[in-house]
Amino acid sequence: MSSALTDLCRYPIVQAPMAGGASGPQLAAAVAEAGGLGFLAAGYKTADGMYNEIKQLRRLTGGPFGVNLFMPQPALADPSAVEVYRHQLAGEATWYETPLGDPDSSGDDGYEAKVAILLEDPVPVVSFTFGCPTRDTLDAFAKAGTHTIVTVTSAEEAQAAQWAGADAVCVQGVEAGGHQSTHRDDPQADHTGTGLLTLVTQVRETVQIPIIATGGLMRGSQIAAALAAGADAAQLGTAFLICPESGAHLLHKQALTNPLFVRTELTRAFSGRPARGLVNRFVREHGPYAPAAYPQVHYVTSGLRQAAAKAGDAQGMALWAGQGHRMARELPVGELIELLAAELEAARSALSMRSPR
């Protein structure tokens, strides 16, 4: 990465911001203390909730960290399609004895208030999901001394981020767990996407700013491959999800390596936006009919997911996971990062020995 970003961490390892509770202060602090770049996920939190977590994190570590923001989403959802989906979920509401949520909750995720807080009390890094901020916003962060990263899923999105003034892009391959961070949610593109190594190479040939690669990375050898393809660092999410410092629900952690869950799939079932998760009953039954309606569907199913977790029913939870979930290792963050770094070094050494002199 550029020297300014490289100086933030000992290893080229970034912990993905995983909204929904996994990426809290404990996880981000442990990553920072171990030599990586930890991230807080501000998505689905209030501005005050985000700021309280930042204060907690600062008490836990003096190391570098980032905060991830969700970009406001345009109101493109068809209300009638959302209502039809609500009727399809009526049986779930009865089964879990909980009402369906209000689809008309705010779609901006408190973005402006969060930006104002982060400009007033800057953090080392801010990243963005589901779109690219304006040049004015990115310039304001630059003046505050904050490095900015825009998550992209195509070379075109990366180029737009560079033009807007982002310091780096996080290139997300289709293998990634959780939501695909496309800047425009196009239902015609469902079940498509570009693999990480191909995408990193395409972006490397398109932009000059640093690249962070993410999507299905679970081993140091995979990090080495991403770096060889043109990335400057690697971002891992599912690999950290199972760590004891992760705030993910215990059922979610257990499901990652449970033979009952054999594959992942991109689905709109839980949020109305394509997201990769373990295929469970909810995905099988509702995924084929879920509308393109984010964040409306997210709010509709929120209570169902919470009730399923409370009931100990993983079949009704959003079990976000990347394609490499079966390779998850239940290790404390410090041990995992040391192991990843050792694997990365071994892969680099092996490649060097095989290279022609």
Side-chain angles (χ1 to χ4, degrees), residues 189-267:
D190 281 7
H191 308 295
T192 65
T194 305
L196 180 60
L197 295 184
T198 297
L199 187 56
V200 166
T201 304
Q202 290 174 346
V203 172
R204 181 72 289 159
E205 294 180 359
T206 304
V207 302
Q208 288 73 52
I209 56 179
I211 291 172
I212 300 168
T214 191
L217 302 176
M218 303 292 290
R219 298 286 188 266
S221 57
Q222 293 174 299
I223 296 174
L227 299 183
D232 300 276
Q235 179 174 283
L236 288 72
T238 306
F240 288 111
L241 199 59
I242 201 171
C243 293
E245 296 91 342
S246 160
H249 194 283
L250 178 60
L251 289 176
H252 192 170
K253 293 183 178 184
Q254 292 173 341
L256 293 176
T257 54
N258 186 337
L260 181 66
F261 301 100
V262 297
R263 63 185 179 90
T264 64
E265 183 178 295
L266 288 171
T267 182

Coordinates of all heavy atoms in Angstrom, one line a residue, residues 189-267:
A189 N -28.2 -8.6 -12.7 CA -26.8 -9.1 -12.5 C -26.8 -10.1 -11.4 O -25.7 -10.6 -11.1 CB -25.9 -7.9 -12.2
D190 N -28.0 -10.5 -10.9 CA -28.0 -11.6 -9.8 C -27.3 -12.8 -10.3 O -27.5 -13.3 -11.5 CB -29.4 -11.9 -9.4 CG -30.0 -10.8 -8.5 OD1 -29.3 -9.8 -8.3 OD2 -31.1 -11.0 -8.0
H191 N -26.6 -13.5 -9.4 CA -25.9 -14.8 -9.6 C -24.8 -14.6 -10.7 O -24.4 -15.6 -11.3 CB -26.9 -15.8 -10.1 CG -28.1 -16.0 -9.2 ND1 -27.9 -16.4 -7.9 CD2 -29.4 -15.7 -9.4 CE1 -29.1 -16.4 -7.3 NE2 -30.0 -16.0 -8.2
T192 N -24.3 -13.4 -10.8 CA -23.1 -13.1 -11.6 C -22.1 -12.5 -10.7 O -22.3 -12.3 -9.5 CB -23.4 -12.2 -12.8 OG1 -23.8 -10.9 -12.3 CG2 -24.5 -12.7 -13.7
G193 N -21.0 -12.2 -11.2 CA -19.9 -11.6 -10.4 C -18.6 -12.1 -10.9 O -18.5 -13.1 -11.6
T194 N -17.5 -11.4 -10.5 CA -16.2 -11.7 -11.0 C -15.4 -12.3 -9.8 O -15.4 -11.7 -8.7 CB -15.5 -10.5 -11.6 OG1 -16.3 -9.9 -12.6 CG2 -14.1 -10.8 -12.1
G195 N -14.6 -13.3 -10.0 CA -13.7 -13.9 -9.0 C -12.6 -12.9 -8.6 O -12.2 -12.0 -9.4
L196 N -12.2 -13.0 -7.4 CA -11.3 -12.0 -6.8 C -10.0 -11.8 -7.6 O -9.6 -10.7 -7.9 CB -10.9 -12.4 -5.4 CG -10.0 -11.5 -4.6 CD1 -10.6 -10.1 -4.5 CD2 -9.6 -12.0 -3.3
L197 N -9.3 -12.9 -8.0 CA -8.0 -12.7 -8.6 C -8.1 -12.0 -10.0 O -7.3 -11.1 -10.4 CB -7.3 -14.0 -8.8 CG -6.8 -14.7 -7.5 CD1 -6.1 -16.0 -7.8 CD2 -6.0 -13.8 -6.6
T198 N -9.2 -12.4 -10.7 CA -9.4 -11.7 -12.0 C -9.8 -10.3 -11.8 O -9.3 -9.4 -12.5 CB -10.6 -12.4 -12.8 OG1 -10.2 -13.7 -13.1 CG2 -10.9 -11.7 -14.0
L199 N -10.6 -10.0 -10.8 CA -11.0 -8.6 -10.5 C -9.9 -7.8 -10.1 O -9.8 -6.6 -10.5 CB -12.2 -8.7 -9.5 CG -12.9 -7.3 -9.2 CD1 -13.4 -6.7 -10.5 CD2 -14.0 -7.5 -8.2
V200 N -9.0 -8.3 -9.2 CA -7.9 -7.5 -8.7 C -7.0 -7.1 -9.9 O -6.5 -6.0 -10.0 CB -7.1 -8.3 -7.7 CG1 -5.7 -7.7 -7.5 CG2 -7.8 -8.4 -6.4
T201 N -6.8 -8.1 -10.8 CA -5.9 -7.8 -12.0 C -6.6 -6.7 -12.9 O -5.9 -5.8 -13.3 CB -5.7 -9.1 -12.8 OG1 -5.1 -10.1 -11.9 CG2 -4.8 -8.8 -14.0
Q202 N -7.9 -6.8 -13.1 CA -8.6 -5.8 -13.9 C -8.5 -4.4 -13.2 O -8.2 -3.4 -13.9 CB -10.1 -6.2 -14.0 CG -10.3 -7.4 -14.9 CD -11.8 -7.8 -14.9 OE1 -12.6 -7.4 -14.1 NE2 -12.1 -8.7 -15.8
V203 N -8.7 -4.4 -11.9 CA -8.6 -3.1 -11.2 C -7.2 -2.5 -11.2 O -7.0 -1.3 -11.4 CB -9.2 -3.2 -9.8 CG1 -9.0 -1.9 -9.0 CG2 -10.7 -3.6 -9.9
R204 N -6.2 -3.4 -11.0 CA -4.8 -3.0 -11.0 C -4.4 -2.3 -12.3 O -3.6 -1.4 -12.4 CB -3.9 -4.2 -10.7 CG -2.4 -3.9 -10.7 CD -2.0 -3.1 -9.4 NE -2.5 -1.7 -9.4 CZ -2.6 -1.0 -8.3 NH1 -2.4 -1.6 -7.1 NH2 -3.0 0.2 -8.3
E205 N -5.0 -2.8 -13.4 CA -4.7 -2.2 -14.8 C -5.5 -1.0 -15.1 O -5.4 -0.4 -16.1 CB -5.0 -3.3 -15.8 CG -4.0 -4.5 -15.8 CD -4.2 -5.5 -16.8 OE1 -5.2 -5.4 -17.6 OE2 -3.5 -6.5 -16.8
T206 N -6.4 -0.6 -14.1 CA -7.3 0.5 -14.3 C -7.0 1.7 -13.5 O -7.2 2.9 -13.9 CB -8.8 0.1 -14.1 OG1 -9.1 -1.1 -14.9 CG2 -9.8 1.2 -14.4
V207 N -6.6 1.5 -12.2 CA -6.4 2.6 -11.3 C -4.9 2.5 -10.8 O -4.2 1.5 -10.9 CB -7.3 2.5 -10.1 CG1 -8.8 2.6 -10.6 CG2 -7.1 1.3 -9.2
Q208 N -4.5 3.7 -10.2 CA -3.2 3.8 -9.6 C -3.2 3.8 -8.1 O -2.1 3.7 -7.5 CB -2.5 5.1 -10.1 CG -2.1 5.1 -11.6 CD -3.3 5.2 -12.5 OE1 -4.1 6.1 -12.4 NE2 -3.4 4.2 -13.5
I209 N -4.3 3.9 -7.5 CA -4.4 3.9 -6.0 C -4.2 2.5 -5.5 O -4.4 1.5 -6.2 CB -5.7 4.6 -5.5 CG1 -6.9 3.9 -6.1 CG2 -5.7 6.1 -5.9 CD1 -8.2 4.5 -5.6
P210 N -3.9 2.4 -4.2 CA -3.7 1.1 -3.6 C -5.0 0.2 -3.6 O -6.1 0.7 -3.6 CB -3.3 1.4 -2.1 CG -2.7 2.8 -2.2 CD -3.5 3.5 -3.3
I211 N -4.8 -1.1 -3.6 CA -5.9 -2.1 -3.7 C -5.8 -3.0 -2.5 O -4.8 -3.5 -2.2 CB -5.8 -2.9 -5.0 CG1 -6.0 -2.0 -6.2 CG2 -6.7 -4.1 -4.9 CD1 -5.8 -2.8 -7.5
I212 N -7.0 -3.2 -1.8 CA -7.1 -4.2 -0.8 C -8.0 -5.2 -1.4 O -9.1 -4.9 -1.8 CB -7.7 -3.5 0.5 CG1 -6.8 -2.4 1.0 CG2 -8.0 -4.6 1.5 CD1 -7.5 -1.6 2.1
A213 N -7.6 -6.5 -1.4 CA -8.4 -7.6 -2.0 C -9.2 -8.3 -0.9 O -8.7 -8.5 0.2 CB -7.4 -8.6 -2.6
T214 N -10.5 -8.6 -1.2 CA -11.3 -9.3 -0.3 C -12.2 -10.3 -1.0 O -12.7 -10.0 -2.1 CB -12.1 -8.3 0.6 OG1 -12.7 -9.1 1.7 CG2 -13.2 -7.6 -0.2
G215 N -12.5 -11.4 -0.4 CA -13.4 -12.4 -1.0 C -12.9 -13.8 -0.9 O -12.1 -14.2 -1.7
G216 N -13.3 -14.5 0.2 CA -13.0 -15.9 0.3 C -11.6 -16.2 0.8 O -11.2 -17.4 0.8
L217 N -10.9 -15.2 1.3 CA -9.5 -15.5 1.7 C -9.5 -16.0 3.1 O -10.0 -15.4 4.0 CB -8.7 -14.1 1.6 CG -8.7 -13.4 0.3 CD1 -8.0 -12.1 0.4 CD2 -8.0 -14.4 -0.8
M218 N -8.8 -17.2 3.3 CA -8.8 -17.9 4.6 C -7.4 -18.3 5.0 O -7.2 -18.7 6.1 CB -9.7 -19.1 4.5 CG -11.1 -18.8 4.1 SD -12.1 -17.9 5.4 CE -12.2 -19.1 6.7
R219 N -6.4 -18.3 4.1 CA -5.1 -18.8 4.3 C -4.0 -17.7 3.8 O -4.3 -16.9 2.9 CB -4.8 -20.1 3.5 CG -5.7 -21.2 4.0 CD -5.3 -21.8 5.3 NE -6.0 -23.0 5.7 CZ -7.1 -23.0 6.4 NH1 -7.6 -21.9 6.9 NH2 -7.7 -24.2 6.7
G220 N -2.9 -17.8 4.4 CA -1.8 -16.9 4.0 C -1.4 -17.1 2.6 O -1.0 -16.1 1.9
S221 N -1.5 -18.3 2.1 CA -1.1 -18.6 0.7 C -2.1 -17.9 -0.2 O -1.7 -17.4 -1.3 CB -1.2 -20.1 0.4 OG -2.4 -20.7 0.7
Q222 N -3.4 -17.7 0.2 CA -4.3 -17.0 -0.7 C -4.0 -15.5 -0.6 O -4.2 -14.8 -1.6 CB -5.8 -17.3 -0.2 CG -6.2 -18.7 -0.4 CD -7.6 -18.9 0.3 OE1 -7.7 -18.8 1.5 NE2 -8.6 -19.2 -0.5
I223 N -3.6 -15.0 0.5 CA -3.2 -13.6 0.6 C -2.0 -13.4 -0.4 O -2.0 -12.4 -1.1 CB -2.8 -13.2 2.0 CG1 -4.0 -13.4 3.0 CG2 -2.2 -11.8 2.1 CD1 -3.7 -13.2 4.4
A224 N -1.1 -14.3 -0.4 CA 0.1 -14.2 -1.3 C -0.4 -14.1 -2.7 O 0.2 -13.4 -3.6 CB 1.0 -15.4 -1.1
A225 N -1.4 -14.9 -3.1 CA -1.9 -15.0 -4.5 C -2.5 -13.6 -4.8 O -2.3 -13.1 -5.9 CB -2.9 -16.1 -4.6
A226 N -3.3 -13.1 -3.9 CA -3.9 -11.8 -4.1 C -2.9 -10.7 -4.3 O -3.0 -9.8 -5.1 CB -4.9 -11.4 -3.0
L227 N -1.8 -10.7 -3.5 CA -0.8 -9.7 -3.6 C 0.0 -9.9 -4.9 O 0.3 -8.9 -5.6 CB 0.2 -9.8 -2.4 CG -0.3 -9.6 -1.0 CD1 0.8 -9.7 0.0 CD2 -1.0 -8.3 -0.9
A228 N 0.2 -11.1 -5.3 CA 0.8 -11.4 -6.6 C 0.0 -10.9 -7.8 O 0.5 -10.4 -8.8 CB 1.1 -12.8 -6.8
A229 N -1.3 -10.9 -7.6 CA -2.2 -10.4 -8.7 C -2.3 -8.9 -8.8 O -2.9 -8.4 -9.7 CB -3.6 -11.0 -8.4
G230 N -1.8 -8.2 -7.8 CA -1.7 -6.8 -7.8 C -2.3 -6.0 -6.6 O -2.3 -4.8 -6.6
A231 N -2.7 -6.8 -5.6 CA -3.2 -6.1 -4.4 C -2.1 -5.7 -3.5 O -1.0 -6.2 -3.6 CB -4.1 -7.1 -3.6
D232 N -2.4 -4.7 -2.7 CA -1.4 -4.2 -1.7 C -1.6 -4.8 -0.3 O -0.7 -4.7 0.5 CB -1.4 -2.7 -1.7 CG -1.1 -2.1 -3.0 OD1 0.1 -1.9 -3.3 OD2 -2.1 -1.8 -3.8
A233 N -2.8 -5.3 -0.1 CA -3.2 -5.9 1.2 C -4.4 -6.7 1.0 O -5.0 -6.7 -0.1 CB -3.5 -4.8 2.3
A234 N -4.7 -7.5 2.0 CA -5.9 -8.4 1.9 C -6.8 -8.2 3.1 O -6.4 -8.0 4.2 CB -5.4 -9.9 1.9
Q235 N -8.1 -8.2 2.8 CA -9.1 -8.1 3.8 C -9.8 -9.4 4.0 O -10.3 -10.0 3.1 CB -10.1 -7.0 3.4 CG -11.2 -6.8 4.5 CD -12.1 -5.6 4.1 OE1 -11.7 -4.5 4.3 NE2 -13.3 -5.9 3.6
L236 N -9.9 -9.9 5.3 CA -10.5 -11.2 5.6 C -11.7 -10.9 6.6 O -11.6 -10.2 7.5 CB -9.5 -12.1 6.3 CG -8.4 -12.7 5.4 CD1 -7.4 -11.7 5.0 CD2 -7.7 -13.9 6.1
G237 N -12.8 -11.6 6.3 CA -14.0 -11.5 7.2 C -14.3 -12.8 7.8 O -14.2 -12.9 9.0
T238 N -14.7 -13.8 7.0 CA -15.1 -15.1 7.6 C -14.0 -15.7 8.4 O -14.3 -16.4 9.4 CB -15.5 -16.0 6.4 OG1 -16.5 -15.4 5.6 CG2 -16.1 -17.3 6.9
A239 N -12.8 -15.5 8.0 CA -11.7 -16.0 8.8 C -11.7 -15.5 10.2 O -11.3 -16.3 11.2 CB -10.3 -15.7 8.1
F240 N -12.1 -14.3 10.5 CA -12.2 -13.7 11.8 C -13.5 -14.0 12.5 O -13.6 -13.8 13.8 CB -11.9 -12.2 11.8 CG -10.5 -11.9 11.5 CD1 -10.2 -11.3 10.3 CD2 -9.5 -12.1 12.4 CE1 -8.9 -10.9 9.9 CE2 -8.2 -11.7 12.1 CZ -7.8 -11.2 10.9
L241 N -14.5 -14.4 11.8 CA -15.8 -14.5 12.3 C -15.9 -15.5 13.5 O -16.7 -15.4 14.4 CB -16.8 -14.9 11.2 CG -18.3 -14.7 11.4 CD1 -18.6 -13.2 11.6 CD2 -19.0 -15.2 10.2
I242 N -15.1 -16.6 13.4 CA -15.1 -17.7 14.3 C -14.2 -17.4 15.5 O -14.3 -18.2 16.5 CB -14.8 -19.0 13.6 CG1 -15.3 -20.2 14.4 CG2 -13.3 -19.1 13.3 CD1 -15.1 -21.5 13.6
C243 N -13.5 -16.4 15.5 CA -12.5 -16.1 16.6 C -13.3 -15.8 17.9 O -14.4 -15.2 17.8 CB -11.6 -14.9 16.3 SG -10.5 -15.2 15.0
P244 N -12.8 -16.1 19.1 CA -13.5 -15.8 20.3 C -13.8 -14.3 20.5 O -14.7 -13.9 21.2 CB -12.6 -16.3 21.4 CG -11.2 -16.5 20.7 CD -11.5 -16.8 19.3
E245 N -13.0 -13.4 19.9 CA -13.2 -12.0 20.0 C -14.3 -11.4 19.1 O -14.8 -10.3 19.3 CB -11.9 -11.2 19.7 CG -10.7 -11.5 20.7 CD -9.8 -12.6 20.2 OE1 -10.3 -13.4 19.3 OE2 -8.7 -12.7 20.7
S246 N -14.7 -12.3 18.2 CA -15.8 -11.9 17.3 C -17.1 -11.8 18.1 O -17.4 -12.6 18.9 CB -15.9 -12.9 16.2 OG -17.2 -12.8 15.6
G247 N -18.0 -10.8 17.7 CA -19.3 -10.7 18.4 C -20.4 -11.5 17.7 O -21.5 -11.3 18.0
A248 N -20.0 -12.3 16.7 CA -21.0 -13.1 16.0 C -21.7 -14.0 17.0 O -21.1 -14.5 18.0 CB -20.4 -13.9 14.9
H249 N -23.0 -14.3 16.7 CA -23.7 -15.3 17.5 C -23.1 -16.6 17.5 O -22.5 -17.1 16.5 CB -25.2 -15.4 17.0 CG -26.1 -16.0 17.9 ND1 -26.2 -17.4 18.1 CD2 -27.1 -15.5 18.7 CE1 -27.1 -17.7 18.9 NE2 -27.7 -16.6 19.3
L250 N -23.2 -17.3 18.6 CA -22.5 -18.7 18.7 C -23.0 -19.6 17.7 O -22.3 -20.4 17.1 CB -22.8 -19.2 20.1 CG -22.2 -20.6 20.4 CD1 -20.7 -20.7 20.2 CD2 -22.6 -21.1 21.8
L251 N -24.3 -19.6 17.4 CA -24.9 -20.5 16.3 C -24.3 -20.2 15.0 O -24.0 -21.1 14.2 CB -26.4 -20.3 16.3 CG -27.2 -20.9 17.4 CD1 -28.7 -20.6 17.2 CD2 -27.0 -22.4 17.6
H252 N -24.0 -18.9 14.7 CA -23.4 -18.5 13.4 C -22.0 -19.1 13.4 O -21.5 -19.6 12.4 CB -23.4 -17.0 13.3 CG -23.0 -16.4 12.0 ND1 -23.2 -15.1 11.7 CD2 -22.5 -17.0 10.9 CE1 -22.8 -14.9 10.4 NE2 -22.4 -16.1 9.9
K253 N -21.2 -18.9 14.5 CA -19.9 -19.4 14.5 C -19.8 -21.0 14.3 O -19.0 -21.5 13.5 CB -19.2 -19.1 15.8 CG -18.9 -17.6 16.1 CD -18.2 -17.4 17.4 CE -17.9 -15.9 17.6 NZ -17.1 -15.7 18.9
Q254 N -20.7 -21.6 15.0 CA -20.8 -23.1 14.8 C -21.1 -23.6 13.4 O -20.6 -24.6 12.9 CB -21.7 -23.7 15.9 CG -21.3 -23.5 17.3 CD -22.3 -23.9 18.3 OE1 -23.5 -24.0 18.0 NE2 -21.9 -24.2 19.6
A255 N -22.0 -22.8 12.8 CA -22.5 -23.2 11.5 C -21.4 -23.2 10.4 O -21.5 -23.9 9.4 CB -23.7 -22.3 11.1
L256 N -20.4 -22.3 10.6 CA -19.4 -22.2 9.6 C -18.6 -23.5 9.3 O -18.3 -23.7 8.2 CB -18.3 -21.1 10.1 CG -18.8 -19.7 10.2 CD1 -17.7 -18.8 10.7 CD2 -19.3 -19.2 8.8
T257 N -18.5 -24.3 10.3 CA -17.8 -25.6 10.1 C -18.7 -26.8 10.3 O -18.2 -27.9 10.4 CB -16.6 -25.7 11.0 OG1 -17.0 -25.5 12.4 CG2 -15.5 -24.6 10.7
N258 N -20.0 -26.6 10.5 CA -20.9 -27.6 10.6 C -21.2 -28.3 9.3 O -21.6 -27.7 8.3 CB -22.2 -27.1 11.2 CG -23.3 -28.2 11.6 OD1 -23.2 -29.3 11.1 ND2 -24.2 -27.8 12.4
P259 N -21.0 -29.6 9.2 CA -21.2 -30.4 7.9 C -22.6 -30.2 7.4 O -22.9 -30.5 6.2 CB -20.9 -31.8 8.3 CG -20.0 -31.7 9.5 CD -20.5 -30.5 10.2
L260 N -23.6 -29.8 8.3 CA -24.9 -29.7 7.8 C -25.1 -28.6 6.8 O -25.9 -28.6 5.9 CB -25.8 -29.3 9.0 CG -27.3 -29.1 8.8 CD1 -27.9 -30.4 8.3 CD2 -28.0 -28.6 10.0
F261 N -24.2 -27.6 6.8 CA -24.2 -26.5 5.9 C -23.1 -26.7 4.9 O -21.9 -26.4 5.2 CB -24.1 -25.1 6.6 CG -25.2 -24.9 7.6 CD1 -24.9 -25.1 9.0 CD2 -26.4 -24.5 7.2 CE1 -25.9 -24.9 9.9 CE2 -27.4 -24.3 8.2 CZ -27.2 -24.5 9.5
V262 N -23.5 -27.2 3.7 CA -22.4 -27.6 2.8 C -22.0 -26.5 1.8 O -21.0 -26.7 1.1 CB -22.9 -28.9 2.0 CG1 -23.1 -30.0 3.0 CG2 -24.2 -28.6 1.2
R263 N -22.8 -25.5 1.6 CA -22.4 -24.5 0.6 C -23.0 -23.1 0.9 O -23.9 -23.0 1.8 CB -23.0 -24.9 -0.8 CG -24.5 -25.0 -0.9 CD -24.9 -25.6 -2.3 NE -26.4 -25.7 -2.4 CZ -27.1 -24.7 -2.8 NH1 -26.6 -23.6 -3.2 NH2 -28.4 -24.8 -2.9
T264 N -22.5 -22.1 0.2 CA -23.0 -20.8 0.3 C -23.7 -20.4 -1.0 O -23.6 -21.1 -2.0 CB -21.9 -19.8 0.6 OG1 -21.0 -19.8 -0.6 CG2 -21.1 -20.1 1.8
E265 N -24.5 -19.3 -0.9 CA -25.2 -18.8 -2.0 C -25.5 -17.4 -1.9 O -25.7 -16.8 -0.8 CB -26.6 -19.6 -2.1 CG -27.5 -19.3 -3.3 CD -28.7 -20.2 -3.2 OE1 -28.6 -21.4 -3.3 OE2 -29.8 -19.6 -3.0
L266 N -25.5 -16.6 -3.0 CA -26.0 -15.3 -3.0 C -27.5 -15.2 -2.9 O -28.2 -15.9 -3.7 CB -25.5 -14.5 -4.2 CG -24.0 -14.2 -4.3 CD1 -23.6 -13.7 -5.7 CD2 -23.6 -13.2 -3.2
T267 N -28.0 -14.5 -2.0 CA -29.5 -14.5 -1.8 C -29.9 -13.1 -1.4 O -29.2 -12.3 -0.7 CB -29.9 -15.5 -0.7 OG1 -31.3 -15.5 -0.5 CG2 -29.2 -15.1 0.7

